[in-house]
């Protein structure tokens, strides 16, 4: 996971222009973003303990003196210390088309400068068309609002049980 956090943060460092304004980042995706694990079925953790990669990314950005604000309608990780910005748009069990169908209003509500997108785990497919639809929805928002959003599209974190599907999806991404 730390490899992916490093990738997110380095992409941010090298692509984000220095501005006087706080950079709004929307962490958008499925259970990896929400921090839900199979072990939660047997010993559920409260939302206040769910943080996944989000807290580590926050600490790295703050340590590098970036002025960032994680945005989203969901909150998770408020019980983690040291504190971090717990806002996100991570949904356990959601498919890429589920994200595509709901992303427009969220973009309008928060107008993020950056979207970190980790999606595809729940699609059980190597087809990227639903992921492309998310990107299309972001493009539509940008065009209608005359607002640019940088998108960091993460490859799926591979697992042993799904490695062939995820490997192929990652190649297609």
């Amino acid at each position: 996971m730390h490899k992916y956090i490093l990738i997110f943060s380095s992409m941010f460092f090298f692509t984000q222009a220095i501005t006087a304004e706080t950079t709004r980042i929307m962490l958008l995706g499925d259970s990896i973003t929400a921090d839900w694990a199979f072990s939660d079925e047997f010993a559920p953790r409260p939302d206040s303990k769910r943080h996944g990669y989000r807290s580590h990314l926050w600490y790295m950005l703050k340590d590098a003196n970036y002025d960032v604000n994680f945005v989203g309608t969901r909150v998770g990780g408020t019980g983690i210390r040291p504190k971090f910005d717990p806002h996100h748009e991570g949904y356990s069990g959601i498919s890429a088309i589920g994200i595509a169908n709901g992303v427009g209003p969220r973009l309008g509500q928060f107008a993020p400068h950056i979207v970190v997108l980790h999606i595809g785990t729940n699609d059980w497919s190597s087809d990227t068309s639903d992921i492309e639809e998310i990107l299309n929805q972001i493009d539509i928002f940008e065009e209608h609002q005359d607002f640019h959003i940088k998108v960091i599209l993460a490859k799926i974190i591979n697992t042993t049980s799904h490695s062939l599907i995820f490997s192929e999806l990652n190649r297609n991404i």
Side-chain angles (χ1 to χ4, degrees):
M1 182 178 331
H2 292 288
K3 176 175 131 181
Y4 289 97
I5 294 169
L6 221 65
I7 291 168
F8 293 151
S9 61
S10 65
M11 289 178 78
F12 177 80
F13 298 149
F14 294 117
T15 62
Q16 182 60 29
I18 297 173
T19 66
E21 164 177 32
T22 299
T23 301
R24 294 180 302 277
I25 302 174
M26 179 178 286
L27 305 172
L28 179 64
D30 52 29
S31 57
I32 301 296
T33 302
D35 187 16
W36 183 90
F38 289 114
S39 60
D40 289 327
E41 288 184 28
F42 309 106
R45 293 172 295 148
D47 285 343
S48 65
K49 297 295 182 185
R50 296 178 190 272
H51 60 104
Y53 73 84
R54 296 178 287 109
S55 61
H56 302 291
L57 179 58
W58 174 262
Y59 303 144
M60 290 176 71
L61 292 170
K62 286 301 186 174
D63 286 348
N65 294 316
Y66 284 97
D67 183 15
V68 297
N69 178 20
F70 287 174
V71 296
T73 59
R74 314 216 8 127
V75 175
T78 56
I80 302 301
R81 301 292 180 263
K83 289 186 175 205
F84 73 102
D85 188 335
H87 296 93
H88 65 94
E89 284 296 321
Y91 299 87
S92 296
I94 200 163
S95 65
I97 200 64
I99 291 287
N101 289 337
V103 74
R106 299 295 184 253
L107 296 173
Q109 184 175 359
F110 296 106
H113 299 106
I114 298 172
V115 169
V116 176
L117 179 60
H118 187 282
I119 193 69
T121 308
N122 300 314
D123 290 282
W124 295 83
S125 170
S126 59
D127 181 16
T128 60
S129 60
D130 290 344
I131 296 171
E132 291 170 23
E133 184 56 29
I134 298 168
L135 300 175
N136 290 340
Q137 292 301 314
I138 293 171
D139 287 345
I140 290 167
F141 173 82
E142 289 177 311
E143 186 177 315
H144 287 128
Q145 299 300 316
D146 193 27
F147 185 83
H148 179 70
I149 298 173
K150 291 179 182 172
V151 178
I152 299 171
L153 175 57
K155 290 184 175 182
I156 299 301
I157 298 172
N158 214 336
T159 64
T160 304
S161 61
H162 303 101
S163 61
L164 294 177
I165 293 172
F166 292 166
S167 294
E168 189 174 341
L169 177 63
N170 285 337
R171 278 192 300 276
N172 292 340
I173 288 175

